[in-house]
Amino acid sequence: MSSFSGLNIVVKGLFAQQRALDVTGHNIANVNTDGYARQRVIIETAKPTEVLGGRGMLGSGALVQQIQGIRNGFLDVKFWGENTVLGEWDAKGQHLGDVEMVFNEPSDAGLNTVIDRFFSALQDLSNGEKASDLTVRETVRQAAIAFTNNLNNMAFQFEKVQTDADFAIETRISDINSYARQISELNGQIMKYELDGSNANDLRDKRDLLIDKLSNIVDVKTFEDAEGRFRLNVGGRLLVNHIDYNRLILAERGEEYNGVQIEKKNDVDADGLHEILWDNGCGFNPKGGELKGLLDIRDGNGDTGMYKGVPFYMEQLDHFAKEFAEAINNIHKEAYGLKGSYEEEGGEQILFFTDNLTEASYALDGDGKRIARGTDITAKNITISKEIFEDLNNIAVASSYDTVPGDASKGLEMVGLRHENVFPTYGTPEDFIKSIIAALGVDRQEAIRMRDNQSILVSQTDTLRMSVSGVSIDEEMSNMIRFQHSYNAAARLITAMDEMLEMMVNRMGLVGR
Amino acid sequence: MRVTNNMLISNMMRDLNSNLRRLEDVNKKMGSGKKFSMPSDDPVGVARSLKLRASLSEGAQFKKNAEDSLSWIETTEGALMQIKEVLQRVRELTVKGASGILVPEDSKKIAEEVRELRDHLVSVGNSTYMGKYIFAGYRTDTAPVGLDGDDGSLKYNGDDGGIMYRVGTEDILRANFTALEIFKPEDDKDLLKGMQFLMDALEKGALENDPPDPGDGDFEAVGNMLGDVDIYLENVLAKIAEVGAKCNRMELVVNRFDDEKLNFNTLLSKIEDADIAEAIVQLKSEENVYMAALAGGARIIQPTLVDFLR
């Protein structure tokens, strides 16, 4: 045994405590770093030496075996799963809120109010003696214009909600691509640093943080094999394969992409929406996350298995505009306005609502009879007819030419539609609007409830994660004291040994000098 | 469980946040006075409120229609009262003319008066309301009552259309009579023709005898007219009674919708309006919770071991 071996032991101890203090410092420095998992120094005893003569093993001090990041992989996976669900419902709740804004009910400016005003004006006109009153006719025309404008505006707003969702999807796709690139880069670095068996804790933290963010956008699934190669699936397909990654691309619907025609999803859809594809041309179908929420909102038409997104409300509004206009038109075209006799021509055949303001309501057939034209009315294009726009006298409420001007029985019939089942499964026009709005309310309520519940789950999981991985100042402080004292003690030991050596080297053997 | 400082802080932030959200909800209720502002706040409530609002505005429209019909009916009633008075006078004159003791001058005078009355009837028959002829059926733009040049019979220019008012979901009121219904209660009974006949009979008595001899008029014919005049009078009285009944009914309708409006408004307020007392209590209690959370949080997040190490 050398006289100096004791110093070696103590120096190892000093080094070990110093490392531990360094790590404590790193922990404290990163107490507020997103995604940081606290680290701990694993110190173990150095290889002992055998004392000759079978008198046991002599310890040779301490060594830093590794610096470990404290993480619970199960909690990460759980967090990602819950976060994906949260992202989906959060997006749905938010965008259904926009849909609610479009309906603008309950208020004094919603669809219900303009329908009510239209019927009231028509009702005024249908009070027999007022049928020839041009001021009352003007009120009817204005109320009808307000009604059609409201529908046009709503259709426009719905398209905007849809294109907004599309824009959010675009942003999210570029986020995913950027995350994929960063993760694949990190994979390479982690692999390199861990070749010698150490832990690339901080890099792994960064990677997990990226996946945390990604998990809000889309469903994720991760695999790491024994060699440390990391794979990441989103939407059931491989996004990151160790140091390679696949890109997601956006192809405009209604255009060709790589020689393949990309179709519009729903007829009512706004132009220029995007289809998400993998860069190899395969379709991309997220199973959760904000992206799923956005896609459901943008594309969901409420058919079996489909979410009731914006297209559903667009279709319903179109259906409403079409059926309502047709019900009014069917009565109106058989009725007579204030001017002209067209009995031989098969009646006036003037429509009340049409799909454009420039085309006449009727055409003449071979026998010179008027035939009302067919229309393709949607909420977007509904307008009053050219004839009514040009001449108030063309508003027709009389049942025959002879009974003008006092007869308003057809007008009464039109007003009567208010209480008729114009919409077979819903009932009256107002019932229809009411049902749609109630359904929307229930859907958004569900989305908000799901989001609230889910955010509790997410934060609970996050709390658990923080409980395991978070830096506790108290703990670090006491560790600091602990390591400081150990360091001091080791240093003190050196002083003691120094004194011993002093004694040995300088004080001994002085006899006879 | 291991608890870290950041856990405390983020939990506290989350709790404070949800407290604030509840505080905001109550505040919104107080500020707007409404329980909900979006369908998703209360889908059922919103649906019911939409329905009630529609019923309310429709009720208001029905009430307005009933009031409009009342003006029409009252104009009709006024015209009918005048016709009644004319007919009563005609009856008196008929009785007088049939007495057989009239000198031709008197007969002539009576004939003159009957002519005046007849003309008055024609003008009453062409009464208007807001420029619309009220006895013309649908032909509200054409004077309905004219005289046939040959025999002075009614020349009706209107049709049999009804001026309708919708005063309830299933309740449509016909507010008008046609001149036909008033002046020609039966096919062969024509008031105007009858009056022409009366004039002719009276004038004949006055002309054919010179010097006039009391009792030379066509007294028998005049006397026979009396029965007809009674039929016309009864007809008009019946119409007046009908108008009165309609008038009453419309007044009831107006009252009913006033009541309905009150009921619906009460109901609407129950569905839509926030209970302010409850909201204030809720606000206070949420405020207390929030304050407590703030006070607690301020204590929890501050101290760490650092504060106690030298």
Side-chain angles (χ1 to χ4, degrees):
Chain A
M1 288 290 284
S2 135
S3 311
F4 297 99
S5 67
L7 267 181
N8 267 337
I9 295 175
V10 181
V11 167
K12 277 184 191 159
L14 271 181
F15 283 163
Q17 304 315 318
Q18 221 167 21
R19 281 290 150 274
L21 269 172
D22 287 347
V23 170
T24 303
H26 189 55
N27 280 342
I28 292 174
N30 285 297
V31 67
N32 289 325
T33 306
D34 277 342
Y36 180 75
R38 70 189 161 108
Q39 293 171 14
R40 199 169 52 183
V41 176
I42 309 286
I43 299 174
E44 62 176 21
T45 48
K47 200 174 168 226
T49 47
E50 216 170 313
V51 182
L52 288 174
R55 267 164 285 173
M57 312 275 278
L58 180 63
S60 64
L63 276 179
V64 172
Q65 193 256 334
Q66 62 166 325
I67 297 170
Q68 191 183 36
I70 311 289
R71 246 179 198 285
N72 181 336
F74 166 73
L75 287 177
D76 285 333
V77 172
K78 187 170 158 57
F79 179 85
W80 296 333
E82 304 296 0
N83 202 21
T84 302
V85 182
L86 174 64
E88 178 181 346
W89 288 108
D90 197 19
K92 282 181 179 170
Q94 237 179 62
H95 287 84
L96 282 183
D98 294 348
V99 177
E100 271 187 329
M101 297 284 204
V102 176
F103 274 109
N104 192 17
E105 297 279 8
S107 78
D108 294 329
L111 189 52
N112 244 23
T113 312
V114 289
I115 296 176
D116 181 65
R117 297 231 171 100
F118 174 65
F119 274 129
S120 291
L122 204 53
Q123 176 74 74
D124 263 343
L125 186 65
S126 306
N127 287 342
E129 99 277 0
K130 291 201 194 110
S132 57
D133 212 325
L134 284 183
T135 47
V136 181
R137 281 173 176 261
E138 183 61 47
T139 340
V140 173
R141 183 163 71 181
Q142 289 308 328
I145 291 175
F147 170 68
T148 56
N149 279 352
N150 195 295
L151 281 174
N152 301 155
N153 187 40
M154 280 174 83
F156 173 74
Q157 295 286 337
F158 276 138
E159 284 197 351
K160 194 160 174 306
V161 175
Q162 215 182 13
T163 47
D164 283 353
D166 190 65
F167 182 70
I169 288 171
E170 267 183 72
T171 322
R172 290 294 163 256
I173 291 300
S174 68
D175 285 351
I176 292 180
N177 284 332
S178 140
Y179 289 147
R181 186 179 48 77
Q182 295 178 50
I183 290 172
S184 67
E185 283 170 12
L186 280 169
N187 284 342
Q189 293 173 19
I190 291 170
M191 185 77 157
K192 208 165 73 190
Y193 284 117
E194 290 187 350
L195 273 177
D196 63 351
S198 60
N199 297 330
N201 291 319
D202 294 339
L203 295 176
R204 282 177 174 270
D205 286 349
K206 273 188 190 162
R207 185 170 71 189
D208 285 346
L209 181 65
L210 287 175
I211 301 174
D212 277 1
K213 289 180 181 162
L214 191 60
S215 71
N216 191 250
I217 302 175
V218 66
D219 55 306
V220 295
K221 208 169 163 82
T222 60
F223 311 89
E224 190 169 354
D225 64 15
E227 280 80 44
R229 277 189 295 266
F230 185 86
R231 283 186 296 139
L232 172 69
N233 280 8
V234 301
R237 275 170 181 270
L238 196 61
L239 178 70
V240 179
N241 187 10
H242 192 42
I243 52 170
D244 297 321
Y245 68 100
N246 295 317
R247 292 178 61 86
L248 288 170
I249 46 165
L250 291 159
E252 194 173 325
R253 286 183 183 160
E255 305 278 325
E256 270 194 6
Y257 179 78
N258 270 355
V260 183
Q261 177 74 18
I262 312 280
E263 297 295 341
K264 265 193 172 186
K265 197 118 184 170
N266 306 294
D267 294 339
V268 290
D269 282 351
D271 293 331
L273 299 184
H274 294 87
E275 186 76 37
I276 310 172
L277 298 173
W278 288 98
D279 49 7
N280 63 5
C282 288
F284 172 73
N285 289 307
K287 314 258 181 310
E290 188 184 351
L291 210 48
K292 166 92 164 20
L294 287 169
L295 285 170
D296 277 354
I297 289 289
R298 191 193 66 179
D299 296 338
N301 59 13
D303 287 351
T304 337
M306 298 283 278
Y307 193 73
K308 281 186 257 171
V310 180
F312 170 78
Y313 293 102
M314 292 168 115
E315 279 172 13
Q316 294 297 315
L317 198 66
D318 280 352
H319 178 64
F320 174 80
K322 190 179 165 65
E323 297 296 321
F324 185 83
E326 273 176 11
I328 294 277
N329 281 346
N330 283 341
I331 300 171
H332 192 265
K333 68 184 180 191
E334 303 301 332
Y336 289 81
L338 283 183
K339 267 195 205 156
S341 162
Y342 301 100
E343 253 174 323
E344 321 81 61
E345 296 167 11
E348 294 196 337
Q349 299 290 325
I350 290 175
L351 301 172
F352 198 107
F353 295 112
T354 61
D355 45 14
N356 69 65
L357 200 51
T358 47
E359 204 176 330
S361 290
Y362 54 85
L364 296 179
D365 72 357
D367 305 327
K369 289 216 188 299
R370 287 184 174 196
I371 308 260
R373 72 182 169 94
T375 54
D376 188 15
I377 292 173
T378 64
K380 201 172 162 185
N381 66 21
I382 189 172
T383 167
I384 58 172
S385 64
K386 178 175 185 270
E387 289 81 2
I388 290 180
F389 182 76
E390 284 168 355
D391 189 354
L392 284 173
N393 290 308
N394 281 328
I395 296 177
V397 291
S399 57
S400 82
Y401 178 69
D402 294 331
T403 57
V404 173
D407 179 13
S409 53
K410 289 288 179 184
L412 278 178
E413 229 177 277
M414 284 188 260
V415 175
L417 289 175
R418 193 173 190 170
H419 292 281
E420 247 161 65
N421 289 341
V422 180
F423 301 93
T425 46
Y426 293 97
T428 67
E430 276 151 323
D431 283 345
F432 183 85
I433 299 295
K434 199 185 69 189
S435 311
I436 300 296
I437 285 169
L440 170 62
V442 171
D443 276 0
R444 171 138 195 258
Q445 211 178 29
E446 187 206 9
I448 291 175
R449 201 181 50 240
M450 289 297 286
R451 186 199 61 197
D452 287 351
N453 291 345
Q454 203 56 37
S455 72
I456 290 173
L457 269 178
V458 166
S459 55
Q460 267 175 359
T461 318
D462 201 30
T463 307
L464 282 177
R465 248 179 15 165
M466 272 155 77
S467 168
V468 173
S469 306
V471 176
S472 158
I473 302 273
D474 294 350
E475 189 180 298
E476 298 307 325
M477 282 293 115
S478 43
N479 278 344
M480 182 185 83
I481 302 285
R482 196 153 61 105
F483 298 135
Q484 194 184 6
H485 280 306
S486 306
Y487 185 87
N488 287 351
R492 183 72 189 77
L493 210 58
I494 288 183
T495 318
M497 289 202 176
D498 179 42
E499 281 169 9
M500 271 164 62
L501 289 171
E502 160 90 12
M503 175 67 81
M504 238 170 16
V505 176
N506 293 331
R507 306 267 173 93
M508 278 168 57
L510 291 177
V511 183
R513 209 184 307 169
Chain B
M1 190 164 97
R2 186 172 166 274
V3 178
T4 69
N5 306 73
N6 275 354
M7 263 163 81
L8 286 177
I9 292 171
S10 69
N11 280 343
M12 190 194 73
M13 284 312 298
R14 195 166 54 242
D15 291 344
L16 283 182
N17 224 326
S18 68
N19 283 338
L20 261 184
R21 227 168 72 184
R22 284 203 300 274
L23 207 58
E24 197 217 344
D25 283 349
V26 185
N27 202 23
K28 213 159 78 181
K29 262 188 210 174
M30 300 254 306
S32 67
K34 299 280 178 212
K35 278 184 195 156
F36 44 75
S37 60
M38 288 288 221
S40 52
D41 294 340
D42 178 3
V44 181
V46 170
R48 290 185 63 198
S49 121
L50 288 180
K51 181 94 193 157
L52 275 176
R53 277 161 185 267
S55 303
L56 256 175
S57 97
E58 203 183 24
Q61 182 66 39
F62 287 151
K63 184 185 156 200
K64 185 165 165 261
N65 292 351
E67 282 166 349
D68 283 359
S69 79
L70 270 174
S71 331
W72 179 281
I73 289 170
E74 276 158 12
T75 313
T76 309
E77 194 178 19
L80 287 175
M81 294 302 274
Q82 286 187 44
I83 294 174
K84 184 195 82 178
E85 275 159 30
V86 168
L87 282 173
Q88 276 164 346
R89 180 68 185 147
V90 170
R91 192 175 190 282
E92 278 168 31
L93 293 176
T94 313
V95 173
K96 217 171 174 184
S99 68
I101 52 156
L102 290 176
V103 291
E105 282 81 23
D106 290 341
S107 284
K108 205 169 175 185
K109 268 184 203 151
I110 293 174
E112 277 301 308
E113 191 175 348
V114 170
R115 179 182 300 278
E116 288 298 318
L117 289 173
R118 201 252 333 250
D119 291 350
H120 186 54
L121 274 186
V122 169
S123 88
V124 173
N126 289 330
S127 298
T128 58
Y129 166 70
M130 310 256 291
K132 314 277 160 67
Y133 292 98
I134 58 175
F135 293 119
Y138 288 148
R139 297 283 176 85
T140 53
D141 53 350
T142 329
V145 181
L147 291 174
D148 195 290
D150 298 335
D151 55 359
S153 66
L154 169 67
K155 194 171 145 224
Y156 181 55
N157 301 318
D159 57 19
D160 59 356
I163 298 299
M164 303 296 192
Y165 289 86
R166 186 186 282 271
V167 292
T169 317
E170 300 296 330
D171 190 359
I172 297 179
L173 172 93
R174 178 177 176 162
N176 69 325
F177 295 113
T178 61
L180 273 185
E181 287 171 299
I182 292 158
F183 293 141
K184 219 172 168 182
E186 290 164 31
D187 270 351
D188 56 345
K189 297 271 184 264
D190 182 333
L191 174 56
L192 297 178
K193 192 174 166 191
M195 288 178 83
Q196 182 71 43
F197 182 77
L198 194 62
M199 280 184 306
D200 290 349
L202 287 163
E203 273 173 2
K204 202 163 125 201
L207 287 174
E208 277 183 2
N209 301 288
D210 195 28
D213 183 16
D216 269 355
D218 198 344
F219 303 117
E220 215 178 303
V222 173
N224 287 343
M225 277 298 293
L226 204 55
D228 283 359
V229 171
D230 281 342
I231 290 176
Y232 299 130
L233 194 55
E234 254 168 50
N235 175 46
V236 169
L237 286 174
K239 294 282 186 280
I240 289 174
E242 199 181 323
V243 162
K246 277 179 183 168
C247 210
N248 277 341
R249 188 154 82 82
M250 284 309 102
E251 273 160 9
L252 281 178
V253 166
V254 170
N255 288 340
R256 184 160 61 80
F257 281 121
D258 278 342
D259 288 351
E260 206 168 75
K261 188 177 163 193
L262 191 68
N263 291 339
F264 278 177
N265 270 329
T266 317
L267 210 55
L268 195 62
S269 151
K270 253 188 206 158
I271 294 170
E272 282 190 345
D273 293 352
D275 182 338
I276 296 295
E278 192 190 307
I280 288 178
V281 173
Q282 227 178 333
L283 184 74
K284 266 290 158 205
S285 108
E286 293 296 348
E287 215 174 64
N288 286 339
V289 172
Y290 183 58
M291 295 300 235
L294 277 180
R299 266 161 212 273
I300 285 173
I301 58 173
Q302 270 185 358
T304 63
L305 192 53
V306 181
D307 299 296
F308 300 95
L309 291 175
R310 278 175 295 109

